[in-house]
Amino acid sequence: MSSTPLITVENVNKRFGAHHVLRDVSTHFEAGQVTVIVGASGSGKSTLLRMLNRLERHDSGRIRVDGIEVDDDLTHLDALRRELGMVFQQFNLFPHLTVLDNVALAPRRVRKTPRSEASAQAMDLLRRVGMEAHAHKYPFALSGGQQQRVAIARALAMQPKVMLFDEPTSALDPEMVKEVLDVMKQLAQSGMTMVIVTHEMGFAREVADRVLFIDQGQVAQDAPPAEFFGAQANPRIRAFLGQVIH
Amino acid sequence: MKFAFPEWPGHWSRQQRSSATMVLASVVLVVLLWLMAIPLALVPEPIGVNAQSFAEGTRVTVQLTVIAGLVGIVIGVLAALGKISRIPPLRWIASLYIWVVRGTPLLVQVLFVFLALPTLVPALQLSDFASACVALAFNAGAYNAEAIRSGLLAVPKGQIEAARSLGLSSFFTFIDVTFPQAFKISLPPLVNNTVALLKDSSLAYAIGVVELTNVGNRIQAATFQPLPTLVTTAVIYLVLTTVLTQISGAVERRYDVEGRQP
C-alpha cells in the first residue's frame, strides 16, 4: 500500500517488572484494514493493543496514531482517545447508567453535544447493533452478548477512526459469541479500521485482512489469513493452531 | 420500615427522583421541627410547659447535624481523594488529618476549637455554635474519608479505563463514573457516621450550645424530674435518627438500579 499507515509502532519495548512482555516490536496498521492479533495467553498481544491508546505505557520505542505521538502529553492523549474506540473483554459498561446514557455520555461530555441530540445519535447506534429495544434498561438486566453490543455502540459514539477490540468474546457464553461477531463483521464491511485481539480463528479467517501472530513478545508472523491458516511452515504456530482449532 | 413515596411522573430520571426524595424528606423534617411544640405542649408536667425549650433545642441539634454532616461529607470526599492521590504531600496531609482527628476525643476537639484556637489565631474567635459546627464537621469528615475511600477503591479499574478510552477527562471520569459508583458503596457507612454525628452533637453542650441534651439536663435539674425529661430527650433523638435513616434508605433505594435490596 502506498498510503502512510494510520498507526505505526516502532521498536516498542514493555516490561512488567522483570518480565519482558514486548521485545522491540515494530508494525503498522493501515486505514480500512482489519487486523487480528493472535497468540498464546501471556504473549503480550493485549498489552500491544492497550498501548495503542495509552492504557499501558511503552518503556521505549515510538507509537504514532494518525500523526499523534502516543505519550503523556495531555493534548495528545485527548486527541488520541478521540481517534480510537475500545471494546473490552469485560464490557465495562457503566452500571449506574442506562444503556442509552452509557452510549450518550461521552459525546455529551467530550463533544458538548446537547443531551437530546446525543440521545438521538445514541439511539441510531443502538439500532445499528440491534439494541434499541433495550435503551432504557440498566446493564445488569442484559446478557453478556447484549452488553458487549452496547459497548461497541458506546465506542462508536465518539466516531473513532480505529476500533480496538480486546478479546471481545472471551467472557461470553458460547451461544452469545455469534451476535457480537456479527456486529463486528458488519463494522468491518463498513470500512472501519479494526485491530482485534481474539481467539476466534473462524472470525479471523473470514473477516481479517491480516493476521499478526505474537509469540514471546515478538511478531512471529504477519500474513494474510489464507497464508496464516494455510500450509503453515512455523512449527510454533502450527502447535498453537492445533490447540485452538477444534 | 418502608417509607411511603408518591407515584413519580414516569418520565422523571432516577436522578430527578432522588433529588425530589431528598427535597421531600427535608420538607418533612422542617415541618416536624417547626410544629413539634404543639403535640409536646399537650404532654403533662414537666414536658408540656417546657415544650418550646425542647423544640428550640431540637432545632439547634438538627442545625448542628445538618451543617456538620454536609460539610463533613465534602471534607470526607476531599480527604479521601487526598489519601489516594498520586501526589505524596497530599497523601501526607490527608493521613495526618485522619490520624489526629480519629485519635483524639471529640470532646477535646470541641473544646479546642472554642477555647484554644482563638489563642493561636485571634481571628478564629468563633461563636459557641460555629465552634461546635467546625469541630463536628472535621470529626465527621475524618470518618467519612475512610468510608468514601473504600468506595472509591471498590470501583473496578475497568470502569476508569472505559471512561478514559472514551476520551472523558479525569474530571468527568470522576464526576460521571467513579464518584456515583463509589458514593453508592459508601452510603451505608456514611449513614452510620451521620447517625453517630447526630448523637455526638450533644457534646456541643460542653461549650454552652443550647442543644437538645443541654435543654433536657437543664429542665430535669430545674424540675427534679429526671425520668420524664430524659425519656423525652431520648425519644426526640430516636425520632430524629429514624427520620435520618428513612431519608438515607430512600436515597439508597434510588441508587439501587439493580434491585438488590428487598
Side-chain angles (χ1 to χ4, degrees):
Chain A
M1 271 190 214
S2 57
S3 62
T4 47
L6 196 53
I7 303 176
T8 55
V9 177
E10 288 170 13
N11 308 107
V12 161
N13 281 283
K14 172 72 184 174
R15 284 186 176 81
F16 286 122
H19 183 37
H20 201 162
V21 186
L22 289 174
R23 299 161 188 267
D24 209 30
V25 170
S26 297
T27 186
H28 58 269
F29 302 96
E30 309 279 347
Q33 198 180 50
V34 177
T35 308
V36 167
I37 303 178
V38 298
S41 55
S43 59
K45 54 193 192 309
S46 281
T47 306
L48 175 61
L49 190 78
R50 288 163 58 84
M51 283 192 319
L52 299 181
N53 73 346
R54 202 65 173 168
L55 288 181
E56 300 294 351
R57 55 182 61 208
H58 46 287
D59 297 333
S60 64
R62 209 173 164 198
I63 302 174
R64 267 165 303 164
V65 177
D66 203 18
I68 305 159
E69 189 74 36
V70 179
D71 57 20
D72 281 333
D73 187 315
L74 281 178
T75 54
H76 290 171
L77 269 184
D78 286 346
L80 177 72
R81 286 171 175 163
R82 274 198 294 273
E83 303 267 320
L84 300 168
M86 178 129 185
V87 176
F88 299 86
Q89 183 177 0
Q90 298 296 339
F91 332 130
N92 294 349
L93 292 182
F94 306 131
H96 60 299
L97 298 178
T98 61
V99 164
L100 190 68
D101 287 339
N102 260 280
V103 180
L105 177 66
R108 280 175 53 212
R109 293 307 196 206
V110 183
R111 293 192 195 282
K112 308 292 174 203
T113 312
R115 193 186 188 114
S116 56
E117 201 184 314
S119 296
Q121 287 167 2
M123 216 51 194
D124 286 342
L125 284 167
L126 289 173
R127 211 163 286 130
R128 205 167 143 190
V129 299
M131 287 297 295
E132 73 275 18
H134 305 281
H136 297 287
K137 290 185 182 169
Y138 286 93
F140 81 96
L142 305 178
S143 72
Q146 291 174 324
Q147 289 194 48
Q148 195 60 297
R149 285 189 280 153
V150 173
I152 293 171
R154 180 176 71 173
L156 289 172
M158 290 303 289
Q159 298 163 336
K161 286 192 180 155
V162 184
M163 285 284 280
L164 308 177
F165 292 84
D166 188 4
E167 305 201 25
T169 57
S170 298
L172 296 177
D173 290 338
E175 72 270 24
M176 291 166 188
V177 170
K178 186 175 178 297
E179 65 185 67
V180 172
L181 292 182
D182 284 346
V183 168
M184 290 168 63
K185 259 180 227 172
Q186 177 201 328
L187 199 58
Q189 280 153 10
S190 74
M192 175 62 79
T193 311
M194 294 162 76
V195 183
I196 306 162
V197 170
T198 187
H199 295 292
E200 294 294 331
M201 295 302 143
F203 176 84
R205 196 194 301 247
E206 190 183 341
V207 181
D209 298 309
R210 172 184 170 213
V211 178
L212 274 186
F213 183 79
I214 309 276
D215 186 36
Q216 294 170 338
Q218 288 176 314
V219 179
Q221 194 163 66
D222 180 351
E227 199 178 303
F228 184 83
F229 293 107
Q232 183 57 260
N234 184 320
R236 284 189 70 91
I237 299 177
R238 272 211 307 272
F240 172 77
L241 289 176
Q243 277 166 1
V244 294
I245 296 175
H246 311 290
Chain B
M1 278 180 285
K2 277 266 179 203
F3 196 87
F5 282 102
E7 285 301 313
W8 303 97
H11 63 274
W12 279 24
S13 73
R14 199 165 36 83
Q15 284 86 351
Q16 284 168 315
R17 292 176 194 204
S18 174
S19 321
T21 309
M22 287 185 253
V23 170
L24 183 75
S26 311
V27 168
V28 168
L29 188 64
V30 168
V31 169
L32 186 81
L33 291 177
W34 182 29
L35 300 176
M36 68 179 284
I38 296 170
L40 272 182
L42 303 175
V43 181
E45 286 282 301
I47 310 304
V49 289
N50 290 303
Q52 282 301 339
S53 302
F54 274 114
E56 193 54 47
T58 307
R59 276 193 280 274
V60 173
T61 289
V62 171
Q63 281 165 7
L64 279 172
T65 308
V66 169
I67 295 171
L70 294 178
V71 177
I73 285 175
V74 174
I75 295 174
V77 172
L78 294 177
L81 286 175
K83 223 179 158 182
I84 59 174
S85 166
R86 264 175 293 178
I87 304 161
L90 287 181
R91 279 206 304 273
W92 300 333
I93 292 170
S95 301
L96 178 75
Y97 158 64
I98 294 168
W99 176 61
V100 169
V101 171
R102 284 201 310 189
T104 55
L106 176 55
L107 184 54
V108 175
Q109 292 162 16
V110 170
L111 293 170
F112 184 89
V113 172
F114 187 57
L115 301 171
L117 210 51
T119 66
L120 278 175
V121 191
L124 288 177
Q125 178 70 65
L126 303 172
S127 70
D128 52 2
F129 180 80
S131 299
C133 282
V134 169
L136 288 168
F138 273 91
N139 186 271
Y143 289 94
N144 289 347
E146 292 297 56
I148 291 165
R149 186 172 70 95
S150 69
L152 289 172
L153 294 178
V155 175
K157 193 163 156 255
Q159 291 289 310
I160 295 155
E161 287 185 348
R164 301 293 284 150
S165 73
L166 284 167
L168 290 180
S169 61
S170 48
F171 175 75
F172 280 126
T173 298
F174 180 74
I175 293 296
D176 289 318
V177 178
T178 320
F179 187 71
Q181 296 184 54
F183 189 71
K184 180 185 161 187
I185 299 166
S186 309
L187 211 50
L190 283 179
V191 171
N192 247 347
N193 293 351
T194 309
V195 169
L197 171 67
L198 173 68
K199 295 176 293 174
D200 289 346
S201 69
S202 61
L203 290 172
Y205 183 7
I207 54 172
V209 179
V210 188
E211 45 69 61
L212 184 54
T213 304
N214 193 338
V215 168
N217 196 31
R218 282 185 192 192
I219 294 170
Q220 72 84 15
T223 61
F224 302 107
Q225 297 199 58
L227 186 66
T229 39
L230 292 180
V231 166
T232 306
T233 308
V235 167
I236 294 174
Y237 274 113
L238 200 54
V239 169
L240 291 179
T241 52
T242 306
V243 171
L244 191 65
T245 49
Q246 294 293 358
I247 295 172
S248 61
V251 175
E252 245 179 88
R253 272 195 291 281
R254 284 286 164 264
Y255 274 95
D256 178 33
V257 298
E258 300 177 20
R260 282 205 273 186
Q261 289 182 45

